[in-house]
Amino acid sequence: MMTTQTETNPKEPTHTVYFLKTKEGADKPDWIKAGVAWEHGDKDGLNLSLKILGQDIPVKIRKNKPNAN
C-alpha cells in the first residue's frame, strides 16, 4: 500500500503533551496542557511543540538505537 504525505505527516497534532502538577491534599494531580506532538512518519519519534513561558519551544524525540560495537 502506498502512503501519502498526508498520512505520514499530518497537519493536525496526533498527541497532546501535559505536565502533572501535584496538589496538596488531592488524590490526583492536575493535568496542565503544555503543547502538542506529531508522530514521525517512520514511527521512531515525535516532534513536540511546547508552550513554555509564552515561548514556542520545538523538541524532537527519537528512539534509542543499539550501539554498533
Side-chain angles (χ1 to χ4, degrees):
M1 179 177 157
M2 184 178 200
T3 58
T4 65
Q5 184 68 16
T6 305
E7 291 171 333
T8 60
N9 190 12
K11 293 185 183 210
E12 295 296 320
T14 56
H15 296 72
T16 302
V17 180
Y18 299 92
F19 70 88
L20 304 181
K21 183 176 180 184
T22 305
K23 294 189 308 183
E24 192 173 321
D27 291 340
K28 296 182 180 180
D30 284 338
W31 285 48
I32 300 170
K33 185 176 177 181
V36 294
W38 294 259
E39 190 171 47
H40 289 170
D42 63 7
K43 308 288 187 204
D44 279 346
L46 297 167
N47 289 327
L48 278 69
S49 178
L50 303 177
K51 186 74 115 174
I52 300 172
L53 300 173
Q55 303 255 337
D56 288 321
I57 309 294
V59 177
K60 297 212 182 270
I61 298 174
R62 295 295 291 167
K63 277 187 184 178
N64 291 336
K65 302 209 177 189
N67 292 334
N69 290 335

